[in-house]
Amino acid sequence: MVQIKMHLLVCGGTGCRASESAVLVEQLNHQLKLNGLADEVKVITTGCFGFCEKGPIVKVIPDNTFYTNVTPEDAEEIVKEHVLKGRKVNRLLYEDPETQEHVSDSKHMEFYQKQVRIALRNCGFIDPENIDEYIVRDGYAALGQVLASDPKETIDIIKKSGLRGRGGAGFPTGLKWEIAAGNKADQKYVVCNADEGDPGAFMDRSILEGDPNSIIEAMAICGYCIGATKGLIYIRAEYPLAIHRLEIAIKQAREYGLLGKDILGSGFDFDIELRLGAGAFVCGEETALIHSMEGFRGEPTIKPPFPAQSGYLGKPTNVNNVETFANVPPIILKGWEWFNSIGSEKSKGTKVFALAGKINNVGLIEVPMGTTLRDVIFEIGGGIKDGKRFKAVQTGGPSGGCLTEQHLDTPIDFEHLAAAGSMMGSGGMIVMDEDDCMVSVAKFYLDFIVEESCGKCAPCRIGSKRMHEILEKICQGKGTMEDLDYLENLGKVIKDTALCGLGQTAPNPVLSTLLYFRDEYVAHVIDKKCPAGQCKALKSYTIDPEKCIGCTLCARTCPTNAIIGDKKVPHVIDQSKCIKCGACYDKCKFGAIQIR
Amino acid sequence: MKIELHDSHIRQIKEICDSFDNNPGELINVLHKTQNVFGYLPEEIQRVIARNLGIPVTRVYGVVSFYSFFTMKPKGKYAVSLCMGTACYVRGAEDVLDELKKELGIEVGGVTEDGKFSLDCLRCVGACGLAPVLMIGEKVYGRLTPSMVKGVLAEYE
């Protein structure tokens, strides 16, 4: 038998695949073969490493070299230099932005230093399409342990660990299991909510793509605890890669007897089916999700009855989010005391965030609860892109709010984020800089809500539409000060009266920006100006007479002939004719066109 | 526009329904499969599905119109979808969208006259590191600017 001397781990997450990481894998294999190394060096496609900004990533084991921005053309050099001669390819190493030095080991990168990986423990380490690799890293050991003990003991461990639902609401997981376990029925169900609908969030998808077996194991554990023999994963149809890897994992688990009849000889039966979503944000709400799984429109219904009493097909159903499940096996193996020692007072463990927007290190991160926003944005995230000024961070997606500079030292946990006017949500974290108009951002989220409202209850269906219209009016420069009061009142009414979580939280982006960025709203209304310069209708283009040399290029470009002036004489824009298309700005070679 | 369904099409739909035991609870899976085969779900197809599953056509239509993944209009040969997730939005997706509309001469949800391109927005592909992101068919284009749009579309000429 030939011994494998070296592993090349290549990120196969959606982001890196979009940058041709699959072609890179082919090229690496091709080069290894050409150099007669195919038997000694193995290329493994893994899940997301998290450092999406610099993808595709290649990690070399055993020396832990971390290559960034690798293209298929780099395969030859990596094989010939690093694999054959043991010389690192310096130009592909991460460069520390402060010291400008090459960092070879990811352990020494600031991006990874403050992270603690529990839910993401296997992402970027194992081949998600091979169950053996999961098993080697203690996979299914927790299930074995649980099946040999009383379900009540396991529920007790989960309760004591302090694990709370990672989908957004933060309901204690152990308590949820206990309630479902206590309801008697001939059939119960375990449901995994993988309908990750937040725009800009990709935590659950990365876990499913990088470590699908951890979810299967946790669902089986949950099934044993509550007395369910059937599991269902409700996953978005927009996640083809995650679906593919889950299908493989389920098939392999069945072959190994880790799903199906009499698991590990314990007499416990459990199997899992996939249910595809079809593009509806509201289906992340558990009652809506259950209706969707039954083949109906995904409309929510009033709770109670809770799914734990009457859920899928009217049977007791326990619904947990992907990340919640991913935390379960380590808690069983390492003990509740270990998990409970991580995090803040009421929020235990870690939280995965999808860090995106105007930030240097876009990616997937996992930090202990209680880490401050400042640490996440400036240390792990590497600060704001292009040296711009930080303006706001949006957490919780369309249900959350925007926080400002004054909140940077807020510890990230369920309580503190809610107290500051936002929420934890499922883990989307979008950073904005001085060029982002907060009124536009609020309008963007309302736009999303208007489109995604299921239409069942009037406050959400009609109210969010009216709020959107008012915001549109303000962005057009036609708003009044009364409109701001309307927005606030309407927002509060929707919060109080909407049927489900989607409607009740829909006004949050508007209310939080109104609270923290009122000046910006006022500038739109009174001064008819957009301070960030983003709202097109409020922009005005002028020509700097100092810089204009009268080349007439802009005048010839202008579609409405709004620019007047003779050759070699500074030109002027007729504001009454200008449609603010920006064509002159793009054409001017002398930077004479100014936008205000 | 009325569509005449061929007998072979009706048989094909029946086979899909049969593969799910004609269980109305599997309606969404049936619709996914059918749309995979036909590209879209016009009224005539919905009627056949309703008949096979033994449910009112209103229920089928209710589900088709509720979920954004299902479409009652055929897409273009090349489906152009721009990501409108928050990360893409703050990195300038709106300007790219304006440029796409201008170049293709259609609005979001439309199809060009020659049937070649259709334009849609979608919510988060999850490649936020590459924002703003555009997909044409399965191919992903990242870090787009309005000035790159013309060149990308030209690849499909």
Side-chain angles (χ1 to χ4, degrees), chain A residues 14-15 18-19 53 199-200 202 205 236-237 275-280 283 292-298 356-359 362 385 430 436 440 444-445 448 451 454 536, chain B residues 24-29 32 59 61-63 65-70 84-87 89-92 94-95 98 123-130 138-140 143:
Chain A
T14 293
S19 312
E53 182 71 35
F202 48 98
R205 200 210 44 218
R236 299 178 75 194
R275 283 296 151 93
L276 300 193
C283 288
S292 180
M293 289 200 311
E294 292 167 342
F296 291 96
R297 291 163 70 94
K358 304 281 185 62
I359 189 150
V362 168
K385 255 197 165 15
I430 313 279
D436 290 307
S440 296
F444 167 81
Y445 281 112
F448 180 86
E451 210 169 285
C454 79
K536 273 196 196 113
Chain B
E26 300 273 11
L27 176 59
I28 291 176
N29 283 335
H32 269 300
R59 187 175 148 202
Y61 175 71
V63 169
S65 58
F66 184 85
Y67 296 97
S68 62
F69 207 81
F70 300 131
M84 267 292 179
T86 325
Y89 179 80
V90 302
R91 285 204 192 174
E94 223 180 6
D95 295 336
D98 287 344
R123 302 285 185 190
C124 204
V125 192
C128 305
L130 301 172
E138 298 279 296
K139 190 159 163 60
V140 179
R143 301 204 168 104

Side-chain angles (χ1 to χ4, degrees), chain A residues 89-150:
Chain A
V89 184
N90 278 329
R91 65 177 180 88
L92 295 175
L93 293 175
Y94 175 70
E95 194 178 285
D96 189 295
E98 268 177 38
T99 60
Q100 259 92 53
E101 274 172 27
H102 289 302
V103 183
S104 147
D105 191 332
S106 55
K107 273 190 221 112
H108 300 126
M109 285 164 60
E110 210 162 24
F111 181 77
Y112 286 106
Q113 278 173 341
K114 291 219 165 179
Q115 294 197 46
V116 175
R117 298 192 151 213
I118 300 174
L120 298 177
R121 62 195 177 280
N122 290 326
C123 291
F125 285 101
I126 63 169
D127 176 358
E129 298 184 9
N130 182 352
I131 193 171
D132 290 333
E133 297 204 3
Y134 178 69
I135 291 172
V136 167
R137 285 176 66 91
D138 291 334
Y140 291 101
L143 178 63
Q145 214 171 300
V146 166
L147 292 182
S149 62
D150 188 337

Side-chain angles (χ1 to χ4, degrees), chain A residues 370-583:
Chain A
T371 308
T372 63
L373 283 167
R374 189 186 299 280
D375 279 350
V376 168
I377 296 167
F378 290 93
E379 309 260 314
I380 298 171
I384 311 301
K385 255 197 165 15
D386 304 325
K388 299 252 177 175
R389 242 180 89 104
F390 168 82
K391 185 171 190 177
V393 55
Q394 212 278 353
T395 64
S399 315
C402 288
L403 301 177
T404 68
E405 216 165 347
Q406 70 182 85
H407 301 107
L408 278 177
D409 293 310
T410 306
I412 301 171
D413 62 20
F414 291 103
E415 283 70 30
H416 282 94
L417 287 182
S422 184
M423 68 182 284
M424 180 78 101
S426 61
M429 196 180 268
I430 313 279
V431 178
M432 299 172 201
D433 71 9
E434 52 193 308
D435 295 337
D436 290 307
C437 165
M438 301 317 285
V439 185
S440 296
V441 167
K443 187 169 72 109
F444 167 81
Y445 281 112
L446 253 285
D447 195 45
F448 180 86
I449 295 292
V450 168
E451 210 169 285
E452 294 295 339
S453 170
C454 79
K456 187 170 179 174
C457 74
C460 176
R461 182 182 70 242
I462 304 172
S464 62
K465 181 102 185 143
R466 294 291 92 84
M467 286 183 86
H468 185 260
E469 284 164 2
I470 297 175
L471 288 167
E472 184 69 49
K473 212 172 125 192
I474 295 174
C475 287
Q476 293 290 331
K478 294 174 188 154
T480 61
M481 287 307 280
E482 286 82 56
D483 283 334
L484 301 190
D485 298 333
Y486 285 146
L487 271 182
E488 219 163 87
N489 284 335
L490 192 51
K492 283 178 187 155
V493 171
I494 296 173
K495 268 184 101 133
D496 287 344
T497 54
L499 175 67
C500 79
L502 185 145
Q504 288 157 12
T505 56
N508 283 354
V510 181
L511 294 176
S512 74
T513 47
L514 260 177
L515 181 64
Y516 297 125
F517 298 94
R518 203 177 174 89
D519 308 354
E520 227 169 288
Y521 280 86
V522 173
H524 281 73
V525 171
I526 303 285
D527 312 332
K528 309 292 174 204
K529 286 251 180 311
C530 172
Q534 201 189 349
C535 294
K536 273 196 196 113
L538 298 177
K539 274 182 190 170
S540 68
Y541 288 84
T542 52
I543 296 175
D544 182 352
E546 304 270 297
K547 287 185 182 163
C548 178
I549 62 151
C551 72
T552 73
L553 186 60
C554 60
R556 280 181 281 138
T557 309
C558 178
T560 57
N561 296 322
I563 303 181
I564 27 186
D566 292 329
K567 247 184 196 171
K568 299 195 177 160
V569 179
H571 288 31
V572 184
I573 299 175
D574 179 352
Q575 296 298 335
S576 65
K577 282 190 186 169
C578 175
I579 55 162
K580 295 154 186 171
C581 67

Side-chain angles (χ1 to χ4, degrees), chain A residues 31-77:
Chain A
Q31 288 295 333
L32 289 171
K33 221 168 161 185
L34 281 184
N35 291 285
L37 295 162
D39 293 335
E40 298 165 46
V41 181
K42 203 172 165 200
V43 182
I44 296 175
T45 306
T46 69
C48 184
F49 281 86
F51 202 38
C52 307
E53 182 71 35
K54 298 274 184 216
I57 306 287
V58 175
K59 194 170 181 178
V60 185
I61 303 289
D63 58 40
N64 266 330
T65 308
F66 193 85
Y67 289 127
T68 56
N69 286 333
V70 187
T71 64
E73 291 76 45
D74 295 327
E76 188 176 348
E77 198 176 341

